[in-house]
Amino acid sequence: MNRYETLIEMALEARKLAYAPYSKFKVGAALLAKNTMIYKGCNVENASYPATNCAERTAIFSAVSEGQKEFVAIAIVGGKDGVGELEFCAPCGICRQVMREFCKPDKFEIILAKSTTDYKVYKLEELLPMSFGPENLA
Ligand code: THU
């Protein structure tokens, strides 16, 4: 099993805990930190819709709250609950910007997966070109 497959499996596990009673769209993420730790996250919806947190941010905030701030890759899986096949679930704009805070745009890998064998890998800079980040405020 390559490192992408391990991360995808963990994202699939995380998705099982998604709390998505409103959209029924369940997302799981697994974030690989530089120190080899993996942090999982799922989407957590709210009756006040804007209070919803995406799976990616759940994973990133969990890692940062545990003292990790350097990341290598994130795997993301998502799709409507009860629908057999998953879709490639691209991170929303807010999550891309949160990744930008902690991840190197030319290095950080974003793995969009339907399964452990069907996935696409992008660099953050491909999904968030010409971005604004911490260096702009240094
Ligand atoms: N969602 C994520 O968790 N990550 C994404 O990359 C896209 C969208 C969630 C937010 C919300 O709970 C549901 O999917 C529908 O937007």
Side-chain angles (χ1 to χ4, degrees):
M1 194 177 285
N2 67 30
R3 70 194 173 103
Y4 294 137
E5 288 167 5
T6 307
L7 265 193
I8 294 165
E9 277 209 335
M10 293 190 70
L12 288 166
E13 245 182 56
R15 182 173 178 264
K16 291 181 194 159
L17 298 176
Y19 176 74
Y22 306 107
S23 72
K24 317 267 191 242
F25 192 89
K26 294 189 166 184
V27 186
L31 176 70
L32 175 63
K34 201 174 161 189
N35 71 349
T36 75
M37 288 278 289
I38 295 176
Y39 297 86
K40 292 189 286 183
C42 61
N43 54 332
V44 182
E45 297 190 343
N46 193 283
S48 174
Y49 296 173
T52 292
N53 208 54
C54 290
E56 298 89 324
R57 272 175 290 146
T58 304
I60 294 167
F61 294 157
S62 167
V64 173
S65 68
E66 298 276 338
Q68 296 306 317
K69 287 198 280 292
E70 290 184 273
F71 307 114
V72 175
I74 190 169
I76 305 163
V77 297
K80 276 265 176 189
D81 197 19
V83 176
E85 206 196 339
L86 298 180
E87 45 193 90
F88 288 121
C89 177
C92 79
I94 296 172
C95 288
R96 294 177 199 206
Q97 184 63 36
V98 170
M99 290 172 195
R100 177 67 178 83
E101 187 68 23
F102 301 104
C103 310
K104 294 188 176 66
D106 58 334
K107 301 250 159 57
F108 185 68
E109 292 183 312
I110 299 168
I111 303 139
L112 308 185
K114 289 186 181 179
S115 71
T116 52
T117 51
D118 190 5
Y119 59 85
K120 305 194 269 197
V121 185
Y122 298 90
K123 289 277 165 63
L124 177 57
E125 69 183 1
E126 290 180 87
L127 300 189
L128 191 68
M130 214 183 146
S131 59
F132 187 87
E135 317 80 61
N136 294 98
L137 298 177

